[in-house]
Amino acid sequence: MARLQARGVRLPRTERRAQLLAAAQRVFAANGYHAAAMDEIAEEAGVSKPVLYQHFPGKLDLYIALLESHVDELVRRVKEALDSTTDNKQRVPATVGAFFDFVDNDAGAFRMVFESDLRGEPAVQEAVDRATSASVDAITETITADAGLDEDKARLLAVGLVGLSQVSARFWLAHHKSMSKEEAVALTANLAWRGIGGGFPLQH
């Protein structure tokens, strides 16, 4: 009924775009990219195909827009975690937790970012790479300022923290959440903090 009511209803462009992306997420998550059809996405969103094509010229454009929105969400979570406190001991679990929250919040979103089967497509690979690089950049800036390290050393530590957080979160999800998220975050953060906190304390 909701889909039928959506037809013919004029929404502001940003709201319509969000509606189409949400519908596309459901279809891509259920069928994968190659089996998903624009007809099905339009039907899921409750709009005509011409309306869908007004916003997204093709399926790949829609997929990339959706992927970019997920990358933005992950980077936002990481930056919010870093800004949530000035205590590095608390920043580490907050940052690790950002990755766990992301994979736990929407498995379809995390799979698009970390397990996309379209990495051979340059625009997709660029978006996937940004998920890591933007997170690393944000953490590097914080470590450089607070631990008194030069940028190269800070970046290496940031890459390590991002890699540890990302792989641990994906492992936790893949193994059916064998422990609570809080316990998994604490274990992962404790491992990271023993290296970062013990070797590179705050310089001010």
Side-chain angles (χ1 to χ4, degrees):
M1 179 66 70
R3 294 178 193 171
L4 293 176
Q5 290 175 343
R7 290 191 183 279
V9 177
R10 293 187 62 85
L11 294 176
R13 185 172 182 82
T14 53
E15 289 184 28
R16 178 67 78 192
R17 182 181 174 88
Q19 176 198 26
L20 297 175
L21 288 172
Q25 175 63 56
R26 292 191 293 271
V27 174
F28 285 135
N31 302 332
Y33 175 81
H34 296 292
M38 292 292 272
D39 302 64
E40 187 177 1
I41 293 170
E43 178 66 25
E44 178 69 22
V47 301
S48 64
K49 278 183 66 178
V51 169
L52 179 58
Y53 281 112
Q54 285 174 8
H55 292 264
F56 303 101
K59 186 168 70 169
L60 181 60
D61 301 279
L62 179 52
Y63 183 88
I64 291 171
L66 185 57
L67 176 59
E68 288 281 6
S69 72
H70 293 328
V71 171
D72 289 342
E73 172 67 12
L74 173 60
V75 174
R76 181 190 65 78
R77 287 177 181 271
V78 170
K79 289 181 176 179
E80 285 184 355
L82 291 168
D83 293 340
S84 65
T85 177
T86 57
D87 182 351
N88 277 348
K89 190 173 183 179
Q90 298 304 316
R91 270 188 180 134
V92 171
T95 304
V96 172
F99 284 88
F100 275 81
D101 288 343
F102 180 70
V103 304
D104 190 37
N105 183 58
D106 187 339
F110 119 78
R111 289 194 174 92
M112 284 187 70
V113 175
F114 295 129
E115 299 176 359
S116 174
D117 57 355
L118 291 180
R119 291 200 175 198
E121 181 66 39
V124 172
Q125 184 62 55
E126 182 179 345
V128 170
D129 289 344
R130 186 170 69 84
T132 297
S133 63
S135 299
V136 167
D137 287 345
I139 297 169
T140 297
E141 183 178 349
T142 300
I143 293 176
T144 301
D146 289 348
L149 294 175
D150 63 52
E151 184 174 346
D152 286 342
K153 292 177 182 177
R155 184 168 296 278
L156 183 59
L157 289 176
V159 168
L161 181 58
V162 168
L164 174 66
S165 302
Q166 181 191 123
V167 173
S168 297
R170 292 166 63 188
F171 179 87
W172 171 76
L173 186 68
H175 286 75
H176 308 292
K177 306 178 183 179
S178 57
M179 65 185 75
S180 71
K181 181 167 62 177
E182 292 73 21
E183 184 179 3
V185 168
L187 282 170
T188 305
N190 188 48
L191 174 61
W193 174 247
R194 285 179 182 274
I196 295 175
F200 310 101
L202 281 169
Q203 296 298 299
H204 53 77

